C-alpha cells in the first residue's frame, strides 16, 4: 500500500498535489449520458457516477447501488438497492427518486439507453432507497449497460433533470472546479464523498486533477517527456522507443486495446446500396492501412474477428470476407451497382493521427477500384458534431476498445447514428440480447458477426494496441481505455 493510501485510511491529511493529464481534445459536454466519446468518459467518470461499474476484470460491481440486483426467475424484474447517505456535489442527498428520474432520461436521450427503451416497461422507485426496473422481455446485457461510463446511465439530482442539462451535478470523488475552454478542466476533491466498498473504492489521493486538451499528438509526447504532464493519452506508436528510453516517462501499452472501424452511413447516400458497400469492403487494403497507421507489427494485428483470441466472443464467422484487398472485384461490383462517380465522403480527424493515416491509404485503394473519394479532415469536435448529420458523410472513422459485452457496440443497433436497420440483423440481435445462457449467446453472436460481414454493417480495419504514457514512477493508474486518476500518486 502506498504512503498516501495509508495516510488516507489513517485519517491523516494528504499532501497537496495536482495530476496533469494531456487528453486528445476538449470534451464538448460534461454530460456523459449524451456522449459516446472517450474523452468525455475519461473526464466525467471522476465526478459523475452510475449505479454499477466494472472492476479490473470487467465484472460488474456496485457503485451507487448498495448491492447487485435481485432478478426475477423470468429475467423481467430487477430490484436494485440504492446506497444510503450518498451526497451530490450541491449538498443534496441521493435517493431512489433521483435514480428513477435519471434513468427515465437515459432511455430517452442516451444512445445506449434508447437501444433498450422498447424493452423497458417501467422504472419505479419502490422505496426511498429501492428501484425496480421491469422489462417486457429479458435483456441479458442490462447490467453492462448500467455500468458503462460511455453514453452512461449517470445519476443526477431529480431537480436538474431536463432534455439538456446545463450544469452537471454528480456524486463522484472529484467535483468540477473550473473549466477554461481549450485550456483545461480543473477537478478538485469532493470532501463529502461517500466511499463505495469493495472493488469500486476510489481513494481520492490527488487534491486536484487537471485535464489539458492537447490536439497535436507530438505535443502530448513532448509535454510528457518534459515533465509538463503526469499522464498523456492517445500517443503515436512511433513515440514508444523515445518514451521507453526516457528518464522522465514510461510507456503504457494497452495490448490488445481495440479496433479501428469505418462506420457506415446506412441512412442516406451511396453506402445505402449493399453492392456499393461490398465494393468498399473488397477494395480496402487493411494490411497497408494498419502498417501506415502503426508502423510496427507489435502494435497491430490484421484480423477481422470482432473479438481477439482469448475472449469469450471470439469467432471466425464471416471473416472470409475480411481483407480481400481486391480492387478488380470492387470495380466489378461498382459496375454492377451502376456507380456514376458520386464522391464517397470519408470524414476523419488528425487528432487521432492513425485515423487519418488509415484514411489516406484507404483512399488510394478505393480510387484504384474506381471510386471518387472526397476526404473531409476536421478536428475531433467537429467530426463528433458532423457525424450526427447523415447528410455530411458516407464513412466516418473511429475506434473502439474491446468491450466486455457486445451489446455495448452501439453501431449494431438501428437506433445508433449509423442507422443499420437490417431486419435479419435486428432479429439476430434481439435473440442475442434476450438469451441468458452464455453458450447460446456465443452461438448467436457468431450469427451476428456473420451478418456484419455479409451486409457490411460496419467495417473493422483490424486490432491495435494503444499507447499512453505516464511520468516515471507514477503509481495507482490502472491501464485502461478510460484511465482514472483518483488513486494516482506521483513518485516521491
Amino acid at each position: 500500500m502506498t504512503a498516501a493510501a495509508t495516510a488516507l485510511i489513517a485519517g491523516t491529511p494528504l499532501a497537496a498535489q495536482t495530476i496533469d493529464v494531456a487528453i486528445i481534445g476538449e470534451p464538448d459536454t460534461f454530460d456523459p449520458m449524451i456522449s459516446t466519446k472517450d474523452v468525455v468518459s475519461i473526464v466525467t467518470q471522476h465526478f459523475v457516477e452510475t449505479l454499477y461499474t466494472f472492476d479490473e476484470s470487467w465484472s460488474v460491481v456496485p457503485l451507487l447501488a448498495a448491492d447487485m440486483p435481485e432478478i426475477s426467475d423470468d429475467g423481467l424484474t430487477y430490484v436494485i438497492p440504492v446506497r444510503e447517505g450518498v451526497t451530490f456535489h450541491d449538498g443534496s442527498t441521493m435517493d431512489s427518486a433521483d435514480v428513477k428520474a435519471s434513468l427515465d432520461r437515459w432511455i430517452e436521450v442516451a444512445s445506449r439507453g434508447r437501444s433498450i427503451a422498447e424493452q423497458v416497461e417501467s422504472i419505479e422507485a419502490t422505496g426511498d432507497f429501492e428501484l425496480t426496473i421491469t422489462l417486457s422481455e429479458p435483456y441479458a446485457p442490462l447490467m453492462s449497460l448500467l455500468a458503462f461510463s460511455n453514453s452512461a446511465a449517470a445519476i443526477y439530482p431529480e431537480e436538474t433533470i431536463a432534455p439538456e442539462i446545463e450544469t452537471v451535478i454528480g456524486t463522484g470523488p472529484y467535483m468540477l472546479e473550473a473549466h477554461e475552454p481549450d485550456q483545461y478542466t480543473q477537478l478538485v476533491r469532493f470532501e463529502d464523498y461517500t466511499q463505495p466498498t469493495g472493488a469500486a473504492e476510489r481513494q481520492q489521493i490527488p487534491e486536484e486533477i487537471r485535464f489539458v486538451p492537447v490536439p497535436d499528438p507530438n505535443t502530448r509526447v513532448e509535454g510528457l517527456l518534459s515533465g509538463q504532464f503526469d499522464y498523456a493519452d492517445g500517443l503515436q506508436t512511433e513515440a514508444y522507443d523515445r518514451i521507453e528510453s526516457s528518464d522522465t516517462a514510461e510507456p503504457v501499452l494497452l495490448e490488445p486495446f481495440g479496433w479501428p472501424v469505418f462506420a457506415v452511413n446506412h441512412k442516406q447516400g451511396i453506402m445505402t446500396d449493399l453492392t456499393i458497400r461490398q465494393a468498399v469492403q473488397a477494395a480496402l487494403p487493411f494490411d497497408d492501412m494498419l502498417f501506415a497507421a502503426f508502423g510496427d507489427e507489435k502494435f497491430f494485428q490484421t484480423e477481422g474477428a470482432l473479438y481477439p483470441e482469448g475472449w469469450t466472443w471470439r469467432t471466425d464467422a464471416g471473416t472470409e470476407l475480411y481483407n480481400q484487398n481486391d480492387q478488380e472485384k470492387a470495380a466489378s461490383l461498382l459496375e454492377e451497382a451502376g456507380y456514376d462517380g458520386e464522391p464517397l465522403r470519408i470524414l476523419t480527424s488528425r487528432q487521432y493521427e492513425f485515423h487519418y493515416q488509415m484514411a489516406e491509404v484507404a483512399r488510394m485503394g478505393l480510387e484504384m477500384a474506381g471510386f471518387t473519394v472526397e476526404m473531409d479532415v476536421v478536428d475531433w469536435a467537429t467530426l463528433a458534431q458532423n457525424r450526427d448529420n447523415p447528410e455530411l458523410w458516407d464513412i466516418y472513422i473511429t475506434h473502439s476498445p474491446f468491450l466486455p459485452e457486445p451489446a455495448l457496440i452501439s453501431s449494431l443497433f438501428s437506433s445508433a447514428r449509423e442507422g443499420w436497420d437490417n431486419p435479419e440483423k435486428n432479429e439476430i440481435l434481439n435473440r442475442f440480447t434476450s438469451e441468458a445462457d452464455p453458450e447460446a449467446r456465443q452461438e448467436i453472436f457468431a450469427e451476428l458477426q456473420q451478418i456484419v460481414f455479409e451486409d457490411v454493417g460496419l467495417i473493422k480495419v483490424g486490432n491495435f494496441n494503444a499507447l499512453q504514457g505516464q511520468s516515471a514512477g507514477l503509481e495507482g493508474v490502472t491501464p485502461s481505455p478510460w484511465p482514472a486518476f483518483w488513486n494516482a500518486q506521483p513518485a516521491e
Side-chain angles (χ1 to χ4, degrees):
M1 183 177 293
T2 65
T6 302
L8 179 66
I9 292 170
T12 305
L14 295 170
Q17 59 183 28
T18 298
I19 297 293
D20 288 300
V21 182
I23 52 179
I24 66 104
E26 176 78 5
D28 60 346
T29 180
F30 291 131
D31 179 3
M33 194 179 284
I34 64 170
S35 177
T36 59
K37 291 190 285 298
D38 290 341
V39 70
V40 173
S41 296
I42 290 170
V43 174
T44 60
Q45 65 182 331
H46 294 81
F47 58 91
V48 174
E49 295 182 315
T50 47
L51 284 170
Y52 296 93
T53 189
F54 294 104
D55 65 13
E56 293 182 14
S57 64
W58 291 107
S59 296
V60 175
V61 295
L63 182 55
L64 290 176
D67 206 340
M68 299 301 289
E70 180 181 326
I71 305 174
S72 62
D73 291 341
D74 59 8
L76 298 180
T77 304
Y78 289 66
V79 179
I80 300 173
V82 176
R83 282 174 54 205
E84 300 185 32
V86 174
T87 304
F88 286 107
H89 295 160
D90 65 355
S92 62
T93 300
M94 182 190 75
D95 60 19
S96 58
D98 301 304
V99 178
K100 170 183 162 48
S102 298
L103 295 188
D104 284 341
R105 178 179 186 258
W106 179 63
I107 63 173
E108 291 178 5
V109 306
S111 60
R112 301 189 197 283
R114 290 198 306 270
S115 73
I116 65 162
E118 291 185 0
Q119 285 90 356
V120 177
E121 196 168 279
S122 66
I123 301 172
E124 298 296 336
T126 47
D128 290 343
F129 296 97
E130 181 184 274
L131 187 86
T132 299
I133 300 175
T134 303
L135 306 179
S136 58
E137 58 186 84
Y139 196 84
L142 177 61
M143 296 305 296
S144 292
L145 287 176
L146 293 177
F148 202 27
S149 63
N150 180 290
S151 188
I155 306 304
Y156 303 129
E158 179 184 13
E159 295 75 18
T160 69
I161 297 297
E164 295 184 11
I165 297 177
E166 187 170 323
T167 302
V168 172
I169 297 170
T171 58
Y174 290 82
M175 55 191 299
L176 185 62
E177 177 70 11
H179 174 229
E180 292 293 335
D182 299 317
Q183 296 184 47
Y184 64 86
T185 300
Q186 179 190 17
L187 309 182
V188 298
R189 252 188 238 137
F190 178 42
E191 300 300 343
D192 292 328
Y193 182 61
T194 49
Q195 188 69 244
T197 58
E201 184 180 0
R202 297 164 181 204
Q203 294 179 4
Q204 294 179 279
I205 291 176
E207 183 176 83
E208 177 182 318
I209 305 170
R210 283 190 300 188
F211 293 96
V212 182
V214 184
D216 182 68
N218 292 318
T219 305
R220 293 197 294 276
V221 171
E222 297 304 326
L224 177 70
L225 293 173
S226 70
Q228 178 184 0
F229 302 122
D230 298 288
Y231 207 94
D233 187 34
L235 304 182
Q236 294 172 273
T237 53
E238 303 94 279
Y240 183 91
D241 291 340
R242 283 191 67 202
I243 298 171
E244 187 178 42
S245 62
S246 167
D247 293 331
T248 58
E250 303 168 349
V252 179
L253 190 65
L254 282 67
E255 181 180 5
F257 174 84
W259 42 301
V261 60
F262 279 28
V264 172
N265 187 345
H266 292 269
K267 291 183 176 179
Q268 63 185 82
I270 63 173
M271 292 295 279
T272 59
D273 185 320
L274 172 59
T275 309
I276 297 286
R277 296 200 302 274
Q278 290 171 334
V280 172
Q281 181 174 251
L284 290 174
F286 294 128
D287 283 301
D288 294 338
M289 291 164 63
L290 289 163
F291 187 80
F294 302 106
D296 190 315
E297 289 188 354
K298 72 181 179 183
F299 297 118
F300 71 89
Q301 303 86 40
T302 308
E303 184 173 277
L306 298 185
Y307 281 86
E309 292 287 354
W311 286 68
T312 298
W313 307 108
R314 168 71 184 201
T315 173
D316 290 327
T319 56
E320 66 276 3
L321 295 173
Y322 173 75
N323 200 28
Q324 299 170 65
N325 195 8
D326 188 341
Q327 287 78 41
E328 290 186 8
K329 176 182 177 181
S332 177
L333 287 164
L334 286 182
E335 184 178 357
E336 179 185 333
Y339 176 65
D340 61 2
E342 180 181 349
L344 175 69
R345 299 162 300 166
I346 299 178
L347 176 62
T348 190
S349 170
R350 299 197 74 158
Q351 279 167 271
Y352 290 108
E353 182 68 13
F354 71 96
H355 290 188
Y356 174 76
Q357 291 164 340
M358 288 188 302
E360 279 293 306
V361 177
R363 177 181 59 80
M364 291 186 283
L366 291 164
E367 288 177 345
M368 287 175 62
F371 278 99
T372 301
V373 180
E374 182 180 293
M375 297 278 285
D376 186 10
V377 184
V378 298
D379 62 78
W380 187 249
T382 301
L383 183 148
Q385 179 178 351
N386 288 357
R387 67 185 178 179
D388 285 332
N389 184 348
E391 298 179 359
L392 300 179
W393 58 278
D394 300 300
I395 290 171
Y396 79 84
I397 302 178
T398 186
H399 66 269
S400 172
F402 293 115
L403 301 173
E405 163 58 57
L408 296 174
I409 304 172
S410 59
S411 299
L412 298 176
F413 292 85
S414 57
S415 59
R417 62 174 62 87
E418 297 93 321
W420 184 27
D421 196 16
N422 176 304
E424 183 182 356
K425 180 271 301 181
N426 293 345
E427 186 276 330
I428 296 169
L429 186 59
N430 185 63
R431 280 193 287 117
F432 177 72
T433 57
S434 61
E435 177 59 63
D437 179 71
E439 291 187 5
R441 296 192 80 215
Q442 290 175 37
E443 293 176 3
I444 300 170
F445 181 71
E447 295 181 52
L448 189 57
Q449 181 173 291
Q450 182 79 35
I451 200 169
V452 165
F453 282 101
E454 291 179 350
D455 199 54
V456 198
L458 54 86
I459 300 173
K460 180 191 173 185
V461 179
N463 300 344
F464 77 105
N465 307 329
L467 181 63
Q468 302 169 352
Q470 65 178 29
S471 58
L474 181 72
E475 297 180 357
V477 182
T478 301
S480 167
W482 310 278
F485 300 96
W486 41 70
N487 296 340
Q489 181 187 6
E492 296 180 1

